[in-house]
Amino acid sequence: MADTYDLVVIGSGPGGYVCAIRAAQLGMKVACVEKRATLGGTCLNIGCIPSKALLQASEKFEEANHHLGTFGVKVGKVELDLKGMMGHKDKVVGDNVNGVAFLFKKNKIDWVKGAARVAGAGKVDVALNGGGSQTLTTKNIVIATGSDVMPLPGVVVDEQRIVSSTGALALPEVPKSMIVIGGGYIGLEVGSVWQRLGTKVTVVEFLDRILPGMDGEVSKQMQRILGKQGMAFKLGTKVTGAKPTNKGVDVTLEPAKGGAAETMTVDIVLLSIGRKPFVDGLGLKEAGVALDERGRVKTDAHFATNVQGIYAIGDVIAGPMLAHKAEDEGVAVAEILAGQAGHVNYDAIPGVVYTWPEAASVGKTEEQLKQEGVEYRAGKFPFTANGRARAMASTDGFVKVLADKKTDRVLGVHIIGPEAGTMIAELALAMEFGASAEDIARTCHAHPTLNEAVKEAALAVDGRPIHI
Ligand code: FAD
Ligand code: NAI
């Protein structure tokens, strides 16, 4: 009897653990199977949390080294204690994963430690980490097994010199040089960490722009700012091979459109060209669960797979591979299973790149609106004209509000600037409520705050910003 559940969740990342907690809140008897030694998935163990701990720490180092003088603060010789910095990261990860274990206990969720295999609807076999196996019977199964590093032929990750984000977040010393393959979220964030600590970072990007999913103006500005910080970019370039030697790693590069190859020798290569859904060992084929053309678990609008009683959420299904998207899907599917109307609004999911300055976006980009033939008005406001940004000596960037030409409804907002990731919450909320640019423009914003730039950009949609 003890092994019978209302819900078995496979994977304890932000999708899985949040789903388990919400289901328990709704009165279900829940087990969560996790094969990793700690809870929290990619995000807490090797993703969002450790990367943000190192971004924060390396920002402090950069600040002490180069920026405190601006504020009239004199510091003596600044030294890096990389072990101490990694210790901070490990502590933050530890506190977070232990926090999830506490929440599981609080909500009476059984954590089954092992690798799960779907043995059919209502049945999950677990190869226990401690040896032996256990079969769980359940009314419903939620697959939340996340994603893994996208491989690149000719570039074999050894997590020593050719690393994925996992190895790059745990390097034992500061490399002199690094090639980052892929100018996306991981490349720019993790590249920034090492660049601040003294590494010469070169980003090699296949397309002719970095951050291809973001608004074009934001990408352009981001490249300019990171370039000023010392990051080098090779756009429209592909890596055809990376060979470790006794001097470093020899990396061969070619123009993406074809042409003469060149070789660069660097200490470390970071492979960050995207992530792929992770379904290895789950037995989905045998269980008859359909995948889509990109290997993701195929689901309908209610997260149901083609097999009754089996659902999927998070990185393993379609949509942006973001922790908060996985969390919201976890809540929604638990509520659906409880007979409620769980729902995720995919039009208002913010995306944030935690570089300095940050880039944040919600809704449609200008390129998307043009492509879809939507008539819109754009309002833009630079941080150079924002009092708080001046006080922070951080005036790079802007806020751009895109609103429907006829209805004035906000269709997208794109920010590059200090704390853009925190500022975007206001806009996600505005979009959830179907706000117009005028609604934002008429909302009282505290002075002096960075968010006043949002209000001004909203005023600029109607051509009436005050401070520019
Ligand atoms: P995951 O977090 O990947 O969790 C899946 C879990 O399932 C894993 O713990 C795995 O061990 C387990 N599992 C898999 N198969 C089995 C099995 N058969 N049996 C038992 N357990 C199994 N997103 C953001 O929103 N913000 C960020 O700042 C951010 N930073 C990131 C930084 C890095 C370096 C990386 C790599 C990713 C980052 N992400 C970020 C993305 C984010 O981590 C993912 O979107 C998120 O973790 C997806 O959650 P998930 O629950 O779907 O899967
Ligand atoms: P990404 O999709 O963000 O970026 C990959 C980049 O690599 C793209 O610019 C792409 O054009 C480029 N690329 C693809 N193939 C290439 C090749 N062969 N050679 C050179 N460039 C190539 O993927 P990334 O950075 O690996 O991150 C994976 C995912 O993890 C992200 O998409 C995001 O969903 C999530 N993530 C989110 C973070 C956040 O929310 N702040 C931080 C880190 C990761």
Side-chain angles (χ1 to χ4, degrees), residues 82-395:
L82 186 60
K83 249 192 175 164
M85 202 175 268
M86 290 294 172
H88 162 69
K89 175 204 70 176
D90 293 340
K91 180 174 183 316
V92 173
V93 168
D95 289 350
N96 276 278
V97 300
N98 292 337
V100 178
F102 164 79
L103 292 172
F104 271 21
K105 268 203 193 114
K106 181 182 158 199
N107 287 283
K108 301 193 172 42
I109 295 161
D110 287 345
W111 169 12
V112 182
K113 300 174 182 175
R117 210 181 121 266
V118 178
K123 222 174 183 193
V124 175
D125 287 337
V126 185
L128 297 167
N129 288 348
S133 65
Q134 187 178 352
T135 297
L136 312 174
T137 54
T138 178
K139 286 186 194 140
N140 291 297
I141 297 169
V142 169
I143 298 167
T145 49
S147 61
D148 199 0
V149 182
M150 180 91 78
L152 180 65
V155 182
V156 182
V157 171
D158 58 17
E159 297 296 12
Q160 304 289 322
R161 286 190 289 170
I162 304 180
V163 296
S164 71
S165 51
T166 305
L169 292 171
L171 294 178
E173 55 190 54
V174 180
K176 284 202 182 62
S177 54
M178 177 185 280
I179 278 190
V180 170
I181 312 177
Y185 280 83
I186 293 178
L188 300 188
E189 288 186 4
V190 180
S192 286
V193 166
W194 292 107
Q195 136 94 26
R196 291 167 189 163
L197 302 183
T199 306
K200 177 69 207 159
V201 174
T202 305
V203 175
V204 179
E205 166 60 51
F206 186 81
L207 300 176
D208 57 4
R209 55 173 288 193
I210 59 169
L211 295 176
M214 287 222 154
D215 190 88
E217 271 190 283
V218 168
S219 297
K220 225 181 243 165
Q221 182 88 323
M222 178 63 87
Q223 191 187 333
R224 195 183 62 77
I225 296 169
L226 292 181
K228 264 199 317 193
Q229 292 172 11
M231 208 177 265
F233 294 91
K234 279 182 176 290
L235 304 184
T237 304
K238 63 182 175 191
V239 169
T240 51
K243 231 194 241 144
T245 68
N246 50 12
K247 281 206 201 100
V249 187
D250 288 344
V251 182
T252 44
L253 313 164
E254 260 178 40
K257 291 181 185 139
E262 62 168 316
T263 302
M264 274 178 79
T265 302
V266 289
D267 288 347
I268 297 285
V269 172
L270 165 60
L271 179 63
S272 51
I273 58 164
R275 294 178 62 84
K276 63 179 173 75
F278 184 80
V279 292
D280 296 1
L282 262 183
L284 295 189
K285 201 168 174 200
E286 297 80 351
V289 176
L291 304 181
D292 71 11
E293 71 294 345
R294 289 165 65 179
R296 303 172 294 200
V297 178
K298 214 171 172 173
T299 51
D300 66 12
H302 297 104
F303 311 102
T305 69
N306 60 316
V307 177
Q308 194 168 3
I310 303 183
Y311 298 78
I313 56 169
D315 279 10
V316 81
I317 69 168
M321 288 183 166
L322 296 173
H324 39 285
K325 175 259 193 190
E327 286 187 40
D328 286 3
E329 289 178 343
V331 168
V333 76
E335 291 178 350
I336 289 167
L337 291 175
Q340 299 184 358
H343 176 70
V344 176
N345 176 7
Y346 291 97
D347 291 333
I349 295 179
V352 181
V353 186
Y354 296 88
T355 43
W356 187 268
E358 294 176 348
S361 115
V362 63
K364 305 267 183 182
T365 64
E366 218 166 331
E367 290 77 13
Q368 282 172 323
L369 293 178
K370 279 187 185 140
Q371 203 177 7
E372 291 168 15
V374 178
E375 289 200 305
Y376 65 94
R377 293 197 296 174
K380 220 171 126 185
F381 190 80
F383 283 105
T384 40
N386 174 272
R388 185 61 177 274
R390 285 186 192 138
M392 292 168 73
S394 189
T395 53

